[in-house]
Amino acid sequence: MGSRRYHVDRLECASVGATCVTMAMQFSSDSTEAMKQTPVVNDPGGRMLPDEMDEVYEIKRTADFIQQCQSKRVALQFPDELLVNSAEVAAKLEEITGSKTFILGDTSYGSCCVDEVAAEHVLADSLVHYGRSCLSPSTRLPVLFVFGRRLVDINDCAAAFRTLYPDQKSHVVVVCDVVYSYIMGDLKRVLRPEYPHVSFSNIDNERHPLSSGKASLFPLWTNDSTEHPGAETVKKFGRQFSFDHQLGLEGYGMFYIGEESLTLTNLMMTWNKCAFCTFNPVTRQGRHETLSISRALMKRYYLIERARDAKVVGILVGTLGVADYLSVIEHIKATVRKAGKKSYTFVMGKLNVAKLANFLEVDIYVLVACPENSLLDSSEFYRPVITPFEMDMAYNRARQWTGDYITDYRDLLPGSCSHVEFPDEDPSDAERTDISLITGELRSVHLTRTQDDGPSCTAVEQRNSALTVAELSPAASFLDSRSWKGLEQKLGETAVTKARQGRRGIAIAYDDEVNS
């Protein structure tokens, strides 16, 4: 069904003169895995009326963005569920701006991330991202986010808030899924007279190169921190809000507007010391979140122990557009090397069980992706998949477990708020061991000096050529231990024999088999 849908999209784009670009899918099953990892962004509900499309897809705001950027070639990134309206949106923008538009159908990774690589394939000057977004910062192109507008009843939302927080002196931070961000201004006007200590989060529009440290060209609303002099401002996951510095963020509750999603999971894991309440606009119900964060954290801590037992680490590149992804890959490589482990780097697009099952020599994987896609449930995989923070927790002895959880890998880089320097090598570590909490076996915890840590040795030493490859490559060592290594020629090792006719028929009933 998927191939038929994309064929129709191409025909529609050709009829209106827009150019469609669809990235080739790695496997036919990738779309199913992507739907498991990323919640549905928006239900287009079929064709829209022109006025509805102009409002939902913010045609005028997008056209202003394109004209102010003076873009001649614009990439329009749509998730699969919004492709039904992509051709009409592209035609409208071309008619207003005169720019050439390119529709990016399939993204290489999660649809919540900006696919700058696909945009560069068509030499785009700027990119417009439609639908749900993780708001991860990009580095190459000016990006405009058009979230869409899912229906929500503000009166029901306000009533649910009053029920969940009967005390009007409560300190609460209101956050939402991006598809409901358009109601924050109206909700603030309804609740602020009753709840003076409530902070409303804003979308941080300065998290893309268009701003360059100056005021955004397209602000959605003013910063709430201006109404609380002396308050401290938090900027995280593309959102910003203020809170009382003396009370601390732990003294605030979190009120989330939206359905259960990776966004909610990411926020609850990061601010796990805050009590969360949610309002679901679909069911119009509010509730106290009873998900045991401690249980979820202990599950992630189990993966940290698995990482400590691992000898070969696979680094999965889950993004090519989020800022500093190359820096964190190098940081992970250095950490793995210092911990005395071996690492391989894999670039394979969207992940699935079959892909990772091809590399049995890898003991554990670390996924470099946006904060929302990093928390991958790997229970179905043959090897666990962890986050960069969990890898750093497993191999960096200087980092202590405090209960705080970090999903944004940029916070781990040198100079960032959560960076912890790797300890220096101690000669006494050569004999230091601890006990694995999973296998109960002793394991070494010594650090390995890297080549850059000291002067290189130029002495000539005889090396056993038979073991050279195995010592340098854990994959070669794993292959050497297998009884069957694939189709090998084995020249000179196999005796010469005459060719003879093989068996005929099908596997369930060969011709020479006697039917019982």
Side-chain angles (χ1 to χ4, degrees):
M1 183 177 68
S3 60
R4 188 185 308 117
R5 179 185 58 194
Y6 288 133
H7 180 64
V8 173
D9 288 337
R10 289 192 182 95
L11 293 178
E12 292 174 348
C13 293
S15 64
V16 297
T19 302
C20 275
V21 178
T22 56
M23 306 302 293
M25 299 181 70
Q26 300 292 336
F27 291 95
S28 60
S29 61
D30 282 356
S31 58
T32 303
E33 294 297 329
M35 291 299 295
K36 292 181 180 179
Q37 300 177 21
T38 306
V40 176
V41 176
N42 213 337
D43 183 7
R47 295 295 180 185
M48 293 184 178
L49 297 176
D51 293 341
E52 295 177 340
M53 183 171 294
D54 291 347
E55 179 181 1
V56 172
Y57 289 93
E58 302 184 49
I59 300 298
K60 183 180 183 306
R61 177 170 172 255
T62 306
D64 292 342
F65 167 81
I66 295 173
Q67 292 172 347
Q68 293 195 36
C69 291
Q70 299 179 353
S71 300
K72 301 299 181 183
R73 303 167 68 88
V74 183
L76 308 179
Q77 180 180 341
F78 290 86
D80 291 347
E81 58 270 15
L82 297 184
L83 280 172
V84 64
N85 295 314
S86 60
E88 297 179 45
V89 173
K92 283 178 174 288
L93 293 176
E94 286 191 352
E95 181 181 358
I96 297 174
T97 64
S99 302
K100 186 66 175 177
T101 59
F102 298 85
I103 298 174
L104 308 183
D106 290 325
T107 56
S108 303
Y109 301 97
S111 61
C112 64
C113 299
V114 174
D115 196 349
E116 291 183 313
V117 175
E120 288 183 335
H121 287 168
V122 295
L123 303 178
D125 304 318
S126 60
L127 187 147
V128 182
H129 183 282
Y130 293 92
R132 283 198 66 260
S133 173
C134 57
L135 299 175
S136 298
S138 55
T139 56
R140 300 183 182 96
L141 298 174
V143 179
L144 177 68
F145 295 102
V146 179
F147 306 125
R149 299 186 176 185
R150 274 194 168 183
L151 296 179
V152 54
D153 192 312
I154 296 180
N155 294 327
D156 288 343
C157 183
F161 185 91
R162 296 186 184 99
T163 302
L164 295 170
Y165 301 99
D167 185 4
Q168 295 185 351
K169 296 182 179 180
S170 300
H171 291 76
V172 185
V173 176
V174 180
V175 294
C176 66
D177 196 341
V178 292
V179 295
Y180 302 109
S181 58
Y182 70 98
I183 73 165
M184 293 293 282
D186 294 335
L187 185 63
K188 177 180 177 181
R189 285 188 288 271
V190 172
L191 293 178
R192 177 51 60 82
E194 306 174 34
Y195 294 86
H197 302 296
V198 174
S199 178
F200 294 84
S201 65
N202 307 321
I203 298 296
D204 186 359
N205 284 343
E206 298 182 4
R207 293 175 64 86
H208 53 79
L210 178 61
S211 300
S212 301
K214 59 185 178 181
S216 174
L217 297 176
F218 306 98
L220 295 184
W221 52 79
T222 59
N223 190 347
D224 192 53
S225 62
T226 57
E227 301 184 10
H228 300 278
E232 183 174 345
T233 300
V234 173
K235 291 187 178 182
K236 198 73 173 174
F237 309 126
R239 298 166 174 82
Q240 59 181 9
F241 58 87
S242 59
F243 66 94
D244 189 343
H245 178 71
Q246 295 182 351
L247 183 62
L249 188 58
E250 295 79 4
Y252 279 74
M254 293 284 179
F255 181 73
Y256 177 81
I257 303 172
E259 302 94 70
E260 293 185 8
S261 63
L262 293 177
T263 300
L264 176 59
T265 302
N266 179 40
L267 297 179
M268 293 183 66
M269 291 289 288
T270 302
W271 294 310
N272 53 69
K273 297 179 181 178
C274 300
F276 270 76
C277 295
T278 61
F279 172 74
N280 190 330
V282 177
T283 62
R284 298 185 178 185
Q285 298 293 324
R287 69 176 185 183
H288 294 277
E289 288 299 325
T290 58
L291 174 65
S292 176
I293 295 298
S294 297
R295 183 177 180 181
L297 290 176
M298 292 309 297
K299 181 179 180 180
R300 306 306 300 191
Y301 189 78
Y302 166 77
L303 297 180
I304 294 175
E305 282 296 315
R306 289 288 300 271
R308 288 172 177 161
D309 290 340
K311 296 180 180 179
V312 181
V313 179
I315 303 174
L316 299 174
V317 181
T319 178
L320 296 177
V322 180
D324 298 322
Y325 78 96
L326 288 176
S327 299
V328 78
I329 290 175
E330 293 302 320
H331 174 73
I332 292 174
K333 288 181 179 179
T335 302
V336 172
R337 185 170 60 251
K338 291 177 181 178
K341 315 288 184 177
K342 299 293 184 179
S343 67
Y344 288 99
T345 303
F346 300 91
V347 182
M348 60 178 65
K350 296 175 182 177
L351 303 179
N352 58 35
V353 176
K355 287 181 182 179
L356 298 188
N358 290 322
F359 310 98
L360 296 180
E361 63 271 25
V362 177
D363 298 320
I364 200 165
Y365 294 94
V366 54
L367 176 60
V368 178
C370 70
E372 294 188 5
N373 287 328
S374 294
L375 296 171
L376 180 65
D377 183 8
S378 58
S379 57
E380 298 181 358
F381 291 80
Y382 290 97
R383 295 289 187 267
V385 181
I386 63 175
T387 66
F389 167 72
E390 292 164 352
M391 187 277 307
D392 199 67
M393 178 66 68
Y395 297 153
N396 189 350
R397 296 202 313 270
R399 184 180 293 278
Q400 301 297 324
W401 177 261
T402 62
D404 295 333
Y405 195 86
I406 301 171
T407 57
D408 190 349
Y409 61 69
R410 296 181 303 129
D411 293 341
L412 304 174
L413 295 175
S416 301
C417 57
S418 300
H419 174 70
V420 176
E421 289 289 342
F422 210 90
D424 295 332
E425 182 181 5
D426 189 348
S428 61
D429 288 341
E431 300 179 356
R432 182 179 176 184
T433 59
D434 67 351
I435 299 177
S436 170
L437 299 181
I438 297 177
T439 63
E441 299 177 354
L442 288 176
R443 61 190 178 191
S444 175
V445 296
H446 75 278
L447 305 181
T448 300
R449 180 179 295 275
T450 61
Q451 296 179 357
D452 298 334
D453 289 339
S456 59
C457 178
T458 59
V460 178
E461 181 180 356
Q462 184 176 3
R463 176 177 297 177
N464 186 345
S465 59
L467 299 179
T468 300
V469 177
E471 291 176 354
L472 296 179
S473 173
S477 177
F478 178 81
L479 180 63
D480 187 65
S481 65
R482 298 182 63 172
S483 58
W484 186 80
K485 304 176 182 178
L487 301 179
E488 300 173 301
Q489 294 182 351
K490 294 187 177 181
L491 298 177
E493 300 180 16
T494 304
V496 179
T497 59
K498 291 183 178 181
R500 56 188 178 89
Q501 185 175 355
R503 308 180 75 178
R504 301 183 60 182
I506 60 177
I508 195 173
Y510 289 108
D511 294 345
D512 58 347
E513 290 181 343
V514 179
N515 296 329
S516 57

